[in-house]
Amino acid sequence: MDLEDLDYVLESLLLVSGNGISVDEITDTLGLQRSEVNDSIRRLKKKYSGKRGILLLSYSNKIQFASNPKYAESVESVLRPVREKELSSAALETVAIVAYRQPVTRLEIEQVRGVNSDYAIQVLQKHNLIEIKGRKDAVGKPLLFGTTDNFLKRFRIEDINQLPDYEKLLESITVIEESGRAQAASIYNEFEIPPEQVPEFLDGEENIEKIE
């Protein structure tokens, strides 16, 4: 297979799959050298970069096509897809702890956060951002949690070692929290609070006292 054909084959695989494809699986199935596949990936990364609508992502020894986030607002305004619910500040804080301390137990997460984290963990599992990695060799054999490939894709990093400084991450979470509060306030301001009304069954009654 010549180099140009290999580039086209990889493009076809990525478009048809829609999900991440293992580089090892491509190499073994097509009977190619790893260096040939890596060279092709580098060429495609150069082709699908910058202002292109499609970008080539690589993470955990996998490759995948993804839309360019630069055009996300325009795409959304046309397609108006069903939005994934925004992660709460509690979930963001929890996933940060898991990312930096993994593998980590629920109790260890709660010791850092200082509050019960059952719901936040459930939300993160539902969104496939964390998963069970095994059990800790301790009393009760508690479950150990770690991040997933989807976590890497969502935060656009190739490897967990590329995580930003922990303090910077916390600053980002704070900005997201403040943005969420501002958005919530604007939603409430859109509605007028109706004047208090006396229920029909009390209509006509006297000496009704309001309880604050």
Side-chain angles (χ1 to χ4, degrees), residues 106-146:
R106 177 186 59 79
L107 180 59
E108 290 168 340
I109 294 171
E110 292 177 348
Q111 287 176 340
V112 175
R113 296 191 62 228
V115 294
N116 183 286
S117 300
D118 285 343
Y119 181 71
I121 290 173
Q122 290 176 15
V123 170
L124 294 172
Q125 286 183 290
K126 180 180 178 181
H127 287 281
N128 192 27
L129 294 176
I130 66 172
E131 63 185 357
I132 296 171
K133 297 290 187 178
R135 291 183 177 274
K136 187 172 183 178
D137 186 15
V139 177
K141 299 288 183 180
L143 295 173
L144 289 167
F145 296 96

Side-chain angles (χ1 to χ4, degrees), residues 64-140:
Q64 179 177 353
F65 273 153
S67 60
N68 192 330
K70 181 178 180 180
Y71 310 118
E73 289 187 10
S74 298
V75 171
E76 184 180 8
S77 66
V78 175
L79 300 180
R80 301 215 177 272
V82 177
R83 285 187 172 183
E84 179 184 87
K85 290 183 178 180
E86 291 295 328
L87 292 175
S88 67
S89 59
L92 286 170
E93 185 180 44
T94 302
V95 78
I97 295 169
V98 174
Y100 282 92
R101 299 187 177 224
Q102 61 185 311
V104 62
T105 67
R106 177 186 59 79
L107 180 59
E108 290 168 340
I109 294 171
E110 292 177 348
Q111 287 176 340
V112 175
R113 296 191 62 228
V115 294
N116 183 286
S117 300
D118 285 343
Y119 181 71
I121 290 173
Q122 290 176 15
V123 170
L124 294 172
Q125 286 183 290
K126 180 180 178 181
H127 287 281
N128 192 27
L129 294 176
I130 66 172
E131 63 185 357
I132 296 171
K133 297 290 187 178
R135 291 183 177 274
K136 187 172 183 178
D137 186 15
V139 177

Side-chain angles (χ1 to χ4, degrees), residues 171-183:
E171 289 177 8
S172 298
I173 291 174
T174 300
V175 170
I176 293 173
E177 289 177 342
E178 292 175 350
S179 175
R181 285 194 292 269
Q183 184 178 16

